[in-house]
Amino acid sequence: MFALIVPPAARRCGQDRRRSLRCPLMTTPPYQPGYPQGVSDKSKVVAGVLGIVLGFFGAGRFYMGDTKTGVLQLVVSVVTCGLGSIWGLIDGILILVNGGVDGQGRPLRD
């Protein structure tokens, strides 16, 4: 029913003339121009403000790439009828004060 699509040997990922779903696109290049090596391209200020303002939805964690915690924040907020949004508020404040890491374990930039 389903066929495995493998690119021909002559073509590698990214060298196809048309956009194809055969090769996934990279979300973060290994070297990021403008940022020191090993530092995330995500801002701790943006992540903190999103956590404070939209903590109910787990927006700060989704922005940072930590989808597991973002979904958990959303589920807890829905199950507790909004009381769980305090978690997102406190999380946003802690990110602003202490910083944090993105989904790939790199520290957030200032």
Side-chain angles (χ1 to χ4, degrees):
M1 172 164 257
F2 295 103
L4 180 64
I5 300 174
V6 179
R11 287 189 229 162
R12 302 225 185 259
C13 289
Q15 295 178 349
D16 203 1
R17 287 186 187 155
R18 57 188 163 83
R19 291 239 184 240
S20 174
L21 294 177
R22 290 185 287 204
C23 302
L25 298 174
M26 283 182 33
T27 56
T28 306
Y31 171 72
Q32 303 165 3
Y35 301 114
Q37 193 72 6
V39 177
S40 176
D41 58 339
K42 307 292 183 188
S43 168
K44 79 174 185 179
V45 174
V46 173
V49 170
L50 281 172
I52 291 170
V53 175
L54 299 172
F56 180 90
F57 302 106
R61 289 295 178 164
F62 282 119
Y63 170 74
M64 291 169 40
D66 188 7
T67 55
K68 183 174 149 183
T69 307
V71 168
L72 223 95
Q73 284 180 345
L74 179 62
V75 168
V76 167
S77 295
V78 168
V79 168
T80 61
C81 298
L83 291 176
S85 63
I86 295 171
W87 179 14
L89 175 74
I90 293 171
D91 192 35
I93 293 170
L94 287 175
I95 289 171
L96 283 175
V97 173
N98 297 332
V101 294
D102 66 358
Q104 297 175 348
R106 299 173 301 180
L108 298 173
R109 65 179 169 89
D110 290 328

